[in-house]
Amino acid sequence: MGRHSLPDQYAAGGTAPRRRDLRRPGPRRRTRRRTVAVATVLVLAVAGGTAAAVKGGLLSFGSSCQDDPVRLTLAASPDLAPALEAAAKRARDADLTSDGRCVAVTVRAREPYKVAATLLAGEDPEAQVWVPDSEVWIQRLTADGGTAQVSTVGQVASTPVGVAMVPAAAKSLGWPKKTYGWLELAGAGLRGDSLRLGAADPARSATGLLALTRMSSAAAGAEGGDTRAAALMKALSQRVSDSDGQVLDTLPRDSSGTEQGNPKRNQALVVSEQAAYTYNSGADGGGSLDFFYPKDGSPRLDHPYTLLEETGLTTDESRAALRFMSYLRDPRQQRLLERYGFRTSDDEVSDALVARAGGSSPQPYAQPPGRPASEVAVQEALGVWTITVQSARITTVVDASASMSEPVPGTGRSRMDVTKASLLQALATFTPEDEIGLWDFSTKLDGDKDYRVRVPTERLGAPKGEGTQRDRLSAAFGDLAPVPDGATGLYDTTLAAYKAATASYAKGKFNALVILTDGVNEDPGSISRTDLIARLERLTSPVRPVPLIMIAVGPDADREEADRIAEATGGSGHEVTDPSQIQSVILKAIVEAGTPGRRG
């Protein structure tokens, strides 16, 4: 935790009363009695006057530690904010102190994706402490060298993610005795209109993203996994809401849980246990949701307690923030969090909490939390979601210089062979509505030009001869080969490909240009890097964005140069030491390009 040492543990701000010596020399006993009598009268008179003055608001003793508190603003995810507001009020009433000063915490409910966007843009979040609902938002800040200064010092509470259903729908699936995995639940909810499944947008909701990651992982292990995952995401995208709170508003309003004739209403939702608990506890819910805990594991929202050091957190504020965190671990505050539907222990699960959320045996609600999804898995799922939901138009430009014939250590294959395999793997994640094309480049490739259009950028499902655009691309990827004695003609190729990509911009789709190179520009007759960057900046349009995603492959590529060139278009530069990482990097770059306020 660095400089964040623990503050004192005093429960109140008062100091011990000073001992006064009552033995003192004085006059004779009679005089002393008279003095005591006079003093008593004066004390009574003063006390009466003081009481009247205090009652009238004219006097204030000013001895409370609340006169000079350490003030903290805590931005909390909307699910946790009410519980933290109640805890903060308790702390003020109890005169909770840090180093002898009261701790005054103001809690503000903020959607985590909005706070993350604010921090990524380098703007002031107007808070010193942030408690998002999941660690995935912290990963978003620090991914790929992000500069946001944050420090996570613990978790406040947790809640598992599952699928809640109206009773009629749950009964049709055999709840609670029958258990399902994520893929089975999603499949049941997305099969026609028999059981409509809704979720919050994974780009804005950790609940939606963590569930999507589990579904994607499950699909990857099934036959035709990539195609199945893309189809699942496409169907789910038709019923997403902007936030976790809004998704609950899509449930039927009638008691039957069907609301016939209104196809906009969902019968099943991807939500947290705590969200179901709150809904069932309210007047609108009335205990009307049953809860499935997937047998292949429920991801958890872990609510990390995070200090925002970018806001200029002072030592007093830092220590006060830690003091409030330790206060939340007190058994009384733990019980408070449980009353709001949160879990405070992975070892002990309250049956009453589960029952209120709609859970029941033998649903595996007490199953220990599994290993959280890796950052790579989360980024890949979100990347596939982005291009699946929005549809994409992407031109891929591959280095075909002689150096691509160099072997990749430990694989027995060349850089080009591993690159082709990774591109074919990435191609499988795109849907028939996505538009993908292929160029390659090298000196001595096509007369005076350093580049060649192998397959024009068109819709993957479009018929091409006896097959489709996807078939044509797959064959072209397989035919890629290094050019003997060819050098890296990077600058002219980048400019030509970017001109083509911006000229053919497809409105309503995610447009991008992906360039893979294993070296630096080696064409002495090309434009300079300075000229290239200037021309790219002139071609870039905020209303028709085409981010350049430049991937430096292998030890000879220049990541710094890739960054500088890509940033001119609002894109990003990346580096991979092994071409097999290309698919993950492309998906990650797509996520970054679609993140508002993302800083390079």
Side-chain angles (χ1 to χ4, degrees):
M1 291 189 296
R3 61 187 175 88
H4 306 296
S5 55
L6 288 175
D8 62 51
Q9 302 297 317
Y10 298 131
T15 58
R18 291 178 297 174
R19 297 183 63 184
R20 291 185 296 175
D21 191 352
L22 300 181
R23 296 172 299 168
R24 60 186 180 189
R28 294 191 305 269
R29 184 182 300 270
R30 181 179 176 184
T31 305
R32 187 165 62 239
R33 285 177 180 171
R34 185 183 176 196
T35 302
V36 170
V38 172
T40 300
V41 172
L42 290 172
V43 167
L44 291 173
V46 172
T50 301
V54 170
K55 187 175 181 180
L58 299 177
L59 291 180
S60 173
F61 290 107
S63 60
S64 170
C65 69
Q66 296 286 356
D67 290 341
D68 183 29
V70 182
R71 299 187 184 278
L72 294 172
T73 298
L74 188 154
S77 58
D79 60 338
L80 186 62
L84 291 184
E85 285 175 359
K89 183 178 184 303
R90 283 186 174 186
R92 287 193 296 271
D93 292 344
D95 280 350
L96 180 74
T97 64
S98 170
D99 298 326
R101 294 176 64 190
C102 270
V103 178
V105 178
T106 299
V107 178
R108 292 178 180 169
R110 295 278 305 278
E111 290 287 354
Y113 79 90
K114 293 183 178 179
V115 178
T118 298
L119 291 168
L120 286 169
E123 298 172 358
D124 185 2
E126 298 180 352
Q128 292 79 41
V129 182
W130 181 31
V131 187
D133 52 6
S134 172
E135 180 72 18
V136 299
W137 301 111
I138 310 301
Q139 293 173 355
R140 186 78 62 87
L141 296 182
T142 57
D144 199 36
T147 58
Q149 298 298 310
V150 298
S151 178
T152 298
V153 296
Q155 281 73 43
V156 175
S158 69
T159 184
V161 175
V163 178
M165 296 187 188
V166 297
K171 184 179 179 180
S172 71
L173 293 183
W175 181 90
K177 293 183 179 180
K178 191 169 182 180
T179 58
Y180 295 85
W182 275 106
L183 203 56
E184 296 167 303
L185 281 169
L190 298 173
R191 195 178 301 118
D193 280 338
S194 58
L195 178 63
R196 296 183 292 272
L197 174 65
D201 185 352
R204 297 183 172 190
S205 160
T207 303
L209 178 56
L210 291 173
L212 185 72
T213 304
R214 286 297 176 99
M215 294 177 196
S216 299
S217 298
E223 185 176 352
D226 290 329
T227 303
R228 189 173 181 181
L232 183 152
M233 292 184 191
K234 198 72 173 180
L236 185 63
S237 71
Q238 307 304 310
R239 310 198 71 85
V240 295
S241 302
D242 282 346
S243 68
D244 296 306
Q246 290 182 16
V247 77
L248 287 164
D249 292 336
T250 67
L251 287 166
R253 296 193 180 98
D254 65 339
S255 58
S256 69
T258 56
E259 201 165 335
Q260 296 294 334
N262 189 349
K264 294 183 179 180
R265 293 289 161 189
N266 293 311
Q267 298 162 299
L269 301 176
V270 174
V271 293
S272 71
E273 178 187 73
Q274 190 274 337
Y277 175 99
T278 301
Y279 185 84
N280 284 345
S281 300
D284 293 338
S288 61
L289 290 178
D290 294 328
F291 203 82
F292 281 91
Y293 297 82
K295 61 185 179 183
D296 48 352
S298 297
R300 305 261 172 134
L301 301 178
D302 53 5
H303 298 89
Y305 191 89
T306 308
L307 308 186
L308 300 179
E309 298 179 350
E310 273 199 348
T311 61
L313 201 65
T314 68
T315 300
D316 286 347
E317 290 170 342
S318 175
R319 289 168 66 84
L322 291 171
R323 178 69 182 96
F324 186 64
M325 175 64 188
S326 67
Y327 177 76
L328 293 174
R329 290 176 173 152
D330 179 274
R332 290 169 296 180
Q333 312 322 317
Q334 297 280 284
R335 290 192 292 272
L336 173 68
L337 290 166
E338 290 166 3
R339 287 201 294 274
Y340 279 86
F342 292 97
R343 297 189 182 189
T344 58
S345 170
D346 289 333
D347 300 323
E348 297 180 9
V349 181
S350 166
D351 291 337
L353 186 158
V354 171
R356 181 69 65 86
S360 179
S361 288
Q363 291 294 316
Y365 60 82
Q367 182 174 315
R371 293 174 60 87
S374 69
E375 185 176 344
V376 170
V378 172
Q379 290 289 338
E380 286 190 3
L382 188 54
V384 175
W385 171 264
T386 301
I387 57 180
T388 299
V389 172
Q390 196 173 354
S391 291
R393 179 180 172 84
I394 298 176
T395 301
T396 306
V397 183
V398 181
D399 191 340
S401 60
S403 57
M404 288 293 283
S405 62
E406 293 289 327
V408 176
T411 67
R413 296 190 296 172
S414 70
R415 292 177 187 171
M416 181 63 86
D417 289 337
V418 178
T419 296
K420 291 192 294 186
S422 191
L423 287 172
L424 285 167
Q425 187 179 9
L427 180 63
T429 65
F430 291 90
T431 72
E433 299 306 312
D434 295 315
E435 301 176 35
I436 310 294
L438 173 66
W439 293 25
D440 60 356
F441 70 99
S442 170
T443 58
K444 304 181 180 181
L445 181 66
D446 187 13
D448 293 335
K449 292 194 302 183
D450 293 340
Y451 49 88
R452 173 176 54 186
V453 179
R454 298 293 296 263
V455 179
T457 305
E458 296 182 27
R459 191 172 61 85
L460 287 177
K464 295 293 176 182
E466 297 181 358
T468 63
Q469 171 79 350
R470 186 189 298 274
D471 298 326
R472 187 180 178 190
L473 263 176
S474 296
F477 281 143
D479 290 341
L480 286 170
V483 176
D485 300 323
T488 305
L490 181 61
Y491 294 166
D492 284 349
T493 300
T494 299
L495 180 59
Y498 197 73
K499 281 182 177 179
T502 53
S504 59
Y505 179 86
K507 187 177 180 180
K509 293 195 174 188
F510 175 83
N511 291 251
L513 175 66
V514 177
I515 296 181
L516 299 100
T517 179
D518 74 339
V520 296
N521 185 67
E522 297 172 325
D523 183 357
S526 72
I527 60 175
S528 67
R529 183 171 70 179
T530 301
D531 193 14
L532 169 64
I533 291 173
R535 294 193 190 190
L536 291 176
E537 288 176 341
R538 288 196 293 270
L539 288 168
T540 300
S541 168
V543 296
R544 294 164 58 92
V546 183
L548 166 59
I549 299 169
M550 184 167 282
I551 302 175
V553 183
D556 301 324
D558 189 338
R559 163 67 188 273
E560 183 180 351
E561 178 172 73
D563 273 333
R564 292 188 63 182
I565 294 173
E567 285 174 0
T569 69
S572 56
H574 303 265
E575 181 178 17
V576 296
T577 56
D578 182 344
S580 65
Q581 302 166 339
I582 288 172
Q583 181 204 14
S584 295
V585 170
I586 289 175
L587 294 176
K588 179 180 179 181
I590 287 171
V591 173
E592 291 184 5
T595 301
R598 178 75 194 181
R599 290 180 295 179

mmCIF file of all heavy atoms in Angstrom, residues 410-447:
data_model
loop_
_atom_site.group_PDB
_atom_site.id
_atom_site.type_symbol
_atom_site.label_atom_id
_atom_site.label_comp_id
_atom_site.label_asym_id
_atom_site.label_seq_id
_atom_site.Cartn_x
_atom_site.Cartn_y
_atom_site.Cartn_z
ATOM 1 N N GLY A 410 10.777 -22.019 -30.409
ATOM 2 C CA GLY A 410 9.971 -22.995 -29.682
ATOM 3 C C GLY A 410 8.764 -23.522 -30.421
ATOM 4 O O GLY A 410 8.027 -24.354 -29.886
ATOM 5 N N THR A 411 8.533 -23.046 -31.670
ATOM 6 C CA THR A 411 7.334 -23.489 -32.398
ATOM 7 C C THR A 411 7.654 -24.337 -33.621
ATOM 8 O O THR A 411 6.808 -25.109 -34.081
ATOM 9 C CB THR A 411 6.507 -22.280 -32.872
ATOM 10 O OG1 THR A 411 7.239 -21.555 -33.876
ATOM 11 C CG2 THR A 411 6.167 -21.366 -31.699
ATOM 12 N N GLY A 412 8.851 -24.167 -34.167
ATOM 13 C CA GLY A 412 9.181 -24.870 -35.395
ATOM 14 C C GLY A 412 8.493 -24.276 -36.611
ATOM 15 O O GLY A 412 8.489 -24.880 -37.690
ATOM 16 N N ARG A 413 7.898 -23.075 -36.446
ATOM 17 C CA ARG A 413 7.193 -22.426 -37.541
ATOM 18 C C ARG A 413 7.712 -21.009 -37.720
ATOM 19 O O ARG A 413 8.277 -20.405 -36.796
ATOM 20 C CB ARG A 413 5.690 -22.396 -37.280
ATOM 21 C CG ARG A 413 5.059 -23.781 -37.226
ATOM 22 C CD ARG A 413 3.546 -23.696 -37.204
ATOM 23 N NE ARG A 413 3.041 -23.047 -36.002
ATOM 24 C CZ ARG A 413 1.769 -22.714 -35.824
ATOM 25 N NH1 ARG A 413 0.876 -22.925 -36.787
ATOM 26 N NH2 ARG A 413 1.391 -22.153 -34.691
ATOM 27 N N SER A 414 7.489 -20.441 -38.889
ATOM 28 C CA SER A 414 7.948 -19.080 -39.189
ATOM 29 C C SER A 414 6.970 -18.054 -38.622
ATOM 30 O O SER A 414 5.832 -18.378 -38.259
ATOM 31 C CB SER A 414 8.074 -18.891 -40.699
ATOM 32 O OG SER A 414 6.781 -18.872 -41.302
ATOM 33 N N ARG A 415 7.408 -16.808 -38.589
ATOM 34 C CA ARG A 415 6.530 -15.718 -38.155
ATOM 35 C C ARG A 415 5.276 -15.652 -39.032
ATOM 36 O O ARG A 415 4.171 -15.439 -38.544
ATOM 37 C CB ARG A 415 7.264 -14.374 -38.224
ATOM 38 C CG ARG A 415 8.394 -14.206 -37.229
ATOM 39 C CD ARG A 415 9.098 -12.871 -37.441
ATOM 40 N NE ARG A 415 10.293 -12.765 -36.598
ATOM 41 C CZ ARG A 415 11.194 -11.789 -36.692
ATOM 42 N NH1 ARG A 415 11.021 -10.816 -37.594
ATOM 43 N NH2 ARG A 415 12.245 -11.764 -35.895
ATOM 44 N N MET A 416 5.451 -15.847 -40.325
ATOM 45 C CA MET A 416 4.304 -15.781 -41.226
ATOM 46 C C MET A 416 3.332 -16.927 -40.957
ATOM 47 O O MET A 416 2.110 -16.728 -40.935
ATOM 48 C CB MET A 416 4.774 -15.817 -42.687
ATOM 49 C CG MET A 416 3.632 -15.738 -43.694
ATOM 50 S SD MET A 416 2.708 -14.168 -43.575
ATOM 51 C CE MET A 416 3.721 -13.120 -44.636
ATOM 52 N N ASP A 417 3.850 -18.129 -40.727
ATOM 53 C CA ASP A 417 2.966 -19.269 -40.474
ATOM 54 C C ASP A 417 2.125 -19.048 -39.212
ATOM 55 O O ASP A 417 0.919 -19.308 -39.206
ATOM 56 C CB ASP A 417 3.786 -20.549 -40.319
ATOM 57 C CG ASP A 417 4.391 -21.018 -41.644
ATOM 58 O OD1 ASP A 417 3.838 -20.643 -42.694
ATOM 59 O OD2 ASP A 417 5.411 -21.745 -41.616
ATOM 60 N N VAL A 418 2.771 -18.566 -38.154
ATOM 61 C CA VAL A 418 2.050 -18.344 -36.899
ATOM 62 C C VAL A 418 1.070 -17.182 -37.051
ATOM 63 O O VAL A 418 -0.044 -17.214 -36.518
ATOM 64 C CB VAL A 418 3.038 -18.084 -35.733
ATOM 65 C CG1 VAL A 418 2.280 -17.802 -34.442
ATOM 66 C CG2 VAL A 418 3.955 -19.280 -35.542
ATOM 67 N N THR A 419 1.459 -16.149 -37.809
ATOM 68 C CA THR A 419 0.570 -15.013 -38.057
ATOM 69 C C THR A 419 -0.677 -15.456 -38.812
ATOM 70 O O THR A 419 -1.805 -15.069 -38.467
ATOM 71 C CB THR A 419 1.309 -13.924 -38.857
ATOM 72 O OG1 THR A 419 2.390 -13.419 -38.079
ATOM 73 C CG2 THR A 419 0.370 -12.783 -39.212
ATOM 74 N N LYS A 420 -0.513 -16.283 -39.824
ATOM 75 C CA LYS A 420 -1.660 -16.765 -40.600
ATOM 76 C C LYS A 420 -2.620 -17.553 -39.717
ATOM 77 O O LYS A 420 -3.851 -17.388 -39.809
ATOM 78 C CB LYS A 420 -1.175 -17.631 -41.769
ATOM 79 C CG LYS A 420 -0.452 -16.850 -42.849
ATOM 80 C CD LYS A 420 -0.234 -17.660 -44.098
ATOM 81 C CE LYS A 420 0.690 -18.817 -43.924
ATOM 82 N NZ LYS A 420 0.995 -19.516 -45.189
ATOM 83 N N ALA A 421 -2.074 -18.415 -38.876
ATOM 84 C CA ALA A 421 -2.926 -19.221 -37.990
ATOM 85 C C ALA A 421 -3.719 -18.338 -37.035
ATOM 86 O O ALA A 421 -4.906 -18.574 -36.777
ATOM 87 C CB ALA A 421 -2.067 -20.217 -37.211
ATOM 88 N N SER A 422 -3.065 -17.289 -36.523
ATOM 89 C CA SER A 422 -3.739 -16.385 -35.595
ATOM 90 C C SER A 422 -4.821 -15.583 -36.304
ATOM 91 O O SER A 422 -5.900 -15.346 -35.748
ATOM 92 C CB SER A 422 -2.717 -15.453 -34.937
ATOM 93 O OG SER A 422 -3.290 -14.736 -33.869
ATOM 94 N N LEU A 423 -4.563 -15.169 -37.539
ATOM 95 C CA LEU A 423 -5.564 -14.410 -38.300
ATOM 96 C C LEU A 423 -6.774 -15.280 -38.646
ATOM 97 O O LEU A 423 -7.912 -14.815 -38.616
ATOM 98 C CB LEU A 423 -4.928 -13.845 -39.569
ATOM 99 C CG LEU A 423 -3.959 -12.681 -39.368
ATOM 100 C CD1 LEU A 423 -3.258 -12.339 -40.678
ATOM 101 C CD2 LEU A 423 -4.683 -11.460 -38.820
ATOM 102 N N LEU A 424 -6.547 -16.534 -38.953
ATOM 103 C CA LEU A 424 -7.656 -17.446 -39.230
ATOM 104 C C LEU A 424 -8.500 -17.654 -37.971
ATOM 105 O O LEU A 424 -9.730 -17.748 -38.040
ATOM 106 C CB LEU A 424 -7.127 -18.789 -39.744
ATOM 107 C CG LEU A 424 -6.634 -18.794 -41.192
ATOM 108 C CD1 LEU A 424 -5.855 -20.072 -41.493
ATOM 109 C CD2 LEU A 424 -7.814 -18.652 -42.153
ATOM 110 N N GLN A 425 -7.834 -17.711 -36.830
ATOM 111 C CA GLN A 425 -8.560 -17.843 -35.566
ATOM 112 C C GLN A 425 -9.396 -16.599 -35.311
ATOM 113 O O GLN A 425 -10.548 -16.683 -34.873
ATOM 114 C CB GLN A 425 -7.550 -18.064 -34.434
ATOM 115 C CG GLN A 425 -8.185 -18.374 -33.090
ATOM 116 C CD GLN A 425 -7.142 -18.597 -32.015
ATOM 117 O OE1 GLN A 425 -5.949 -18.368 -32.224
ATOM 118 N NE2 GLN A 425 -7.575 -19.034 -30.843
ATOM 119 N N ALA A 426 -8.828 -15.431 -35.576
ATOM 120 C CA ALA A 426 -9.569 -14.180 -35.382
ATOM 121 C C ALA A 426 -10.751 -14.090 -36.347
ATOM 122 O O ALA A 426 -11.832 -13.616 -35.986
ATOM 123 C CB ALA A 426 -8.640 -12.983 -35.576
ATOM 124 N N LEU A 427 -10.567 -14.568 -37.565
ATOM 125 C CA LEU A 427 -11.627 -14.502 -38.576
ATOM 126 C C LEU A 427 -12.881 -15.242 -38.118
ATOM 127 O O LEU A 427 -14.004 -14.827 -38.413
ATOM 128 C CB LEU A 427 -11.119 -15.092 -39.897
ATOM 129 C CG LEU A 427 -12.089 -15.098 -41.078
ATOM 130 C CD1 LEU A 427 -12.468 -13.673 -41.469
ATOM 131 C CD2 LEU A 427 -11.467 -15.844 -42.269
ATOM 132 N N ALA A 428 -12.685 -16.320 -37.351
ATOM 133 C CA ALA A 428 -13.816 -17.127 -36.894
ATOM 134 C C ALA A 428 -14.719 -16.370 -35.929
ATOM 135 O O ALA A 428 -15.870 -16.755 -35.719
ATOM 136 C CB ALA A 428 -13.307 -18.401 -36.235
ATOM 137 N N THR A 429 -14.226 -15.286 -35.320
ATOM 138 C CA THR A 429 -15.037 -14.539 -34.346
ATOM 139 C C THR A 429 -15.970 -13.536 -35.017
ATOM 140 O O THR A 429 -16.835 -12.964 -34.352
ATOM 141 C CB THR A 429 -14.134 -13.784 -33.353
ATOM 142 O OG1 THR A 429 -13.393 -12.780 -34.052
ATOM 143 C CG2 THR A 429 -13.177 -14.729 -32.654
ATOM 144 N N PHE A 430 -15.824 -13.322 -36.326
ATOM 145 C CA PHE A 430 -16.656 -12.341 -37.022
ATOM 146 C C PHE A 430 -17.904 -13.000 -37.603
ATOM 147 O O PHE A 430 -17.908 -14.188 -37.946
ATOM 148 C CB PHE A 430 -15.847 -11.654 -38.125
ATOM 149 C CG PHE A 430 -14.757 -10.750 -37.612
ATOM 150 C CD1 PHE A 430 -13.485 -11.236 -37.382
ATOM 151 C CD2 PHE A 430 -15.020 -9.419 -37.342
ATOM 152 C CE1 PHE A 430 -12.480 -10.413 -36.897
ATOM 153 C CE2 PHE A 430 -14.030 -8.586 -36.853
ATOM 154 C CZ PHE A 430 -12.753 -9.082 -36.624
ATOM 155 N N THR A 431 -18.968 -12.223 -37.708
ATOM 156 C CA THR A 431 -20.252 -12.736 -38.197
ATOM 157 C C THR A 431 -20.373 -12.486 -39.704
ATOM 158 O O THR A 431 -19.596 -11.707 -40.284
ATOM 159 C CB THR A 431 -21.418 -12.039 -37.482
ATOM 160 O OG1 THR A 431 -21.522 -10.682 -37.949
ATOM 161 C CG2 THR A 431 -21.230 -12.045 -35.974
ATOM 162 N N PRO A 432 -21.372 -13.079 -40.354
ATOM 163 C CA PRO A 432 -21.553 -12.854 -41.803
ATOM 164 C C PRO A 432 -21.800 -11.397 -42.179
ATOM 165 O O PRO A 432 -21.580 -11.011 -43.335
ATOM 166 C CB PRO A 432 -22.767 -13.728 -42.143
ATOM 167 C CG PRO A 432 -22.743 -14.821 -41.119
ATOM 168 C CD PRO A 432 -22.255 -14.154 -39.865
ATOM 169 N N GLU A 433 -22.252 -10.577 -41.210
ATOM 170 C CA GLU A 433 -22.527 -9.167 -41.505
ATOM 171 C C GLU A 433 -21.286 -8.291 -41.438
ATOM 172 O O GLU A 433 -21.306 -7.133 -41.857
ATOM 173 C CB GLU A 433 -23.589 -8.622 -40.538
ATOM 174 C CG GLU A 433 -24.923 -9.334 -40.639
ATOM 175 C CD GLU A 433 -25.469 -9.342 -42.062
ATOM 176 O OE1 GLU A 433 -25.472 -8.264 -42.701
ATOM 177 O OE2 GLU A 433 -25.876 -10.421 -42.543
ATOM 178 N N ASP A 434 -20.198 -8.799 -40.879
ATOM 179 C CA ASP A 434 -18.959 -8.028 -40.783
ATOM 180 C C ASP A 434 -18.261 -7.976 -42.135
ATOM 181 O O ASP A 434 -18.330 -8.925 -42.930
ATOM 182 C CB ASP A 434 -18.024 -8.647 -39.747
ATOM 183 C CG ASP A 434 -18.591 -8.588 -38.344
ATOM 184 O OD1 ASP A 434 -19.113 -7.528 -37.972
ATOM 185 O OD2 ASP A 434 -18.533 -9.606 -37.629
ATOM 186 N N GLU A 435 -17.586 -6.861 -42.390
ATOM 187 C CA GLU A 435 -16.851 -6.667 -43.640
ATOM 188 C C GLU A 435 -15.354 -6.739 -43.346
ATOM 189 O O GLU A 435 -14.827 -5.955 -42.560
ATOM 190 C CB GLU A 435 -17.203 -5.319 -44.263
ATOM 191 C CG GLU A 435 -18.682 -5.147 -44.578
ATOM 192 C CD GLU A 435 -19.012 -3.767 -45.105
ATOM 193 O OE1 GLU A 435 -18.172 -3.186 -45.828
ATOM 194 O OE2 GLU A 435 -20.097 -3.251 -44.784
ATOM 195 N N ILE A 436 -14.658 -7.681 -43.976
ATOM 196 C CA ILE A 436 -13.234 -7.884 -43.731
ATOM 197 C C ILE A 436 -12.519 -7.973 -45.074
ATOM 198 O O ILE A 436 -13.029 -8.573 -46.028
ATOM 199 C CB ILE A 436 -12.978 -9.189 -42.934
ATOM 200 C CG1 ILE A 436 -13.869 -9.258 -41.692
ATOM 201 C CG2 ILE A 436 -11.497 -9.283 -42.541
ATOM 202 C CD1 ILE A 436 -13.578 -8.217 -40.652
ATOM 203 N N GLY A 437 -11.311 -7.365 -45.127
ATOM 204 C CA GLY A 437 -10.487 -7.433 -46.332
ATOM 205 C C GLY A 437 -9.040 -7.695 -45.974
ATOM 206 O O GLY A 437 -8.657 -7.680 -44.801
ATOM 207 N N LEU A 438 -8.204 -7.944 -46.984
ATOM 208 C CA LEU A 438 -6.798 -8.285 -46.748
ATOM 209 C C LEU A 438 -5.893 -7.622 -47.765
ATOM 210 O O LEU A 438 -6.136 -7.702 -48.979
ATOM 211 C CB LEU A 438 -6.625 -9.807 -46.810
ATOM 212 C CG LEU A 438 -5.184 -10.332 -46.741
ATOM 213 C CD1 LEU A 438 -4.568 -10.020 -45.375
ATOM 214 C CD2 LEU A 438 -5.137 -11.831 -47.029
ATOM 215 N N TRP A 439 -4.836 -6.956 -47.260
ATOM 216 C CA TRP A 439 -3.721 -6.467 -48.069
ATOM 217 C C TRP A 439 -2.451 -7.137 -47.551
ATOM 218 O O TRP A 439 -2.401 -7.569 -46.391
ATOM 219 C CB TRP A 439 -3.531 -4.954 -47.933
ATOM 220 C CG TRP A 439 -4.605 -4.068 -48.482
ATOM 221 C CD1 TRP A 439 -5.918 -4.356 -48.669
ATOM 222 C CD2 TRP A 439 -4.430 -2.697 -48.890
ATOM 223 N NE1 TRP A 439 -6.591 -3.273 -49.164
ATOM 224 C CE2 TRP A 439 -5.706 -2.231 -49.309
ATOM 225 C CE3 TRP A 439 -3.360 -1.829 -48.951
ATOM 226 C CZ2 TRP A 439 -5.911 -0.925 -49.767
ATOM 227 C CZ3 TRP A 439 -3.538 -0.523 -49.403
ATOM 228 C CH2 TRP A 439 -4.805 -0.089 -49.817
ATOM 229 N N ASP A 440 -1.414 -7.213 -48.393
ATOM 230 C CA ASP A 440 -0.080 -7.521 -47.885
ATOM 231 C C ASP A 440 0.886 -6.480 -48.437
ATOM 232 O O ASP A 440 0.555 -5.728 -49.360
ATOM 233 C CB ASP A 440 0.355 -8.952 -48.191
ATOM 234 C CG ASP A 440 0.408 -9.272 -49.682
ATOM 235 O OD1 ASP A 440 0.036 -8.400 -50.495
ATOM 236 O OD2 ASP A 440 0.801 -10.396 -50.039
ATOM 237 N N PHE A 441 2.087 -6.403 -47.842
ATOM 238 C CA PHE A 441 3.014 -5.357 -48.284
ATOM 239 C C PHE A 441 4.471 -5.775 -48.109
ATOM 240 O O PHE A 441 4.822 -6.526 -47.191
ATOM 241 C CB PHE A 441 2.748 -4.028 -47.563
ATOM 242 C CG PHE A 441 3.111 -4.007 -46.092
ATOM 243 C CD1 PHE A 441 4.311 -3.451 -45.659
ATOM 244 C CD2 PHE A 441 2.239 -4.530 -45.147
ATOM 245 C CE1 PHE A 441 4.627 -3.409 -44.311
ATOM 246 C CE2 PHE A 441 2.547 -4.483 -43.800
ATOM 247 C CZ PHE A 441 3.747 -3.927 -43.371
ATOM 248 N N SER A 442 5.282 -5.300 -49.020
ATOM 249 C CA SER A 442 6.734 -5.503 -49.001
ATOM 250 C C SER A 442 7.298 -4.783 -50.209
ATOM 251 O O SER A 442 6.600 -4.611 -51.224
ATOM 252 C CB SER A 442 7.076 -6.996 -49.080
ATOM 253 O OG SER A 442 8.472 -7.181 -49.286
ATOM 254 N N THR A 443 8.544 -4.380 -50.151
ATOM 255 C CA THR A 443 9.167 -3.862 -51.363
ATOM 256 C C THR A 443 9.296 -5.035 -52.346
ATOM 257 O O THR A 443 9.281 -6.206 -51.953
ATOM 258 C CB THR A 443 10.557 -3.282 -51.066
ATOM 259 O OG1 THR A 443 11.375 -4.297 -50.480
ATOM 260 C CG2 THR A 443 10.475 -2.096 -50.117
ATOM 261 N N LYS A 444 9.389 -4.695 -53.625
ATOM 262 C CA LYS A 444 9.502 -5.710 -54.684
ATOM 263 C C LYS A 444 8.257 -6.601 -54.762
ATOM 264 O O LYS A 444 8.334 -7.756 -55.175
ATOM 265 C CB LYS A 444 10.748 -6.585 -54.490
ATOM 266 C CG LYS A 444 12.047 -5.807 -54.409
ATOM 267 C CD LYS A 444 13.232 -6.726 -54.251
ATOM 268 C CE LYS A 444 14.534 -5.930 -54.175
ATOM 269 N NZ LYS A 444 15.727 -6.814 -54.033
ATOM 270 N N LEU A 445 7.119 -6.060 -54.343
ATOM 271 C CA LEU A 445 5.895 -6.854 -54.327
ATOM 272 C C LEU A 445 5.056 -6.657 -55.583
ATOM 273 O O LEU A 445 4.578 -7.623 -56.184
ATOM 274 C CB LEU A 445 5.062 -6.494 -53.092
ATOM 275 C CG LEU A 445 3.748 -7.249 -52.900
ATOM 276 C CD1 LEU A 445 4.024 -8.719 -52.632
ATOM 277 C CD2 LEU A 445 2.946 -6.658 -51.748
ATOM 278 N N ASP A 446 4.884 -5.387 -55.994
ATOM 279 C CA ASP A 446 4.005 -5.086 -57.124
ATOM 280 C C ASP A 446 4.546 -3.890 -57.881
ATOM 281 O O ASP A 446 4.006 -2.784 -57.803
ATOM 282 C CB ASP A 446 2.591 -4.810 -56.608
ATOM 283 C CG ASP A 446 1.574 -4.664 -57.743
ATOM 284 O OD1 ASP A 446 1.925 -5.019 -58.887
ATOM 285 O OD2 ASP A 446 0.455 -4.201 -57.475
ATOM 286 N N GLY A 447 5.655 -4.105 -58.577
ATOM 287 C CA GLY A 447 6.281 -3.008 -59.303
ATOM 288 C C GLY A 447 6.800 -1.949 -58.348
ATOM 289 O O GLY A 447 7.543 -2.240 -57.412
#
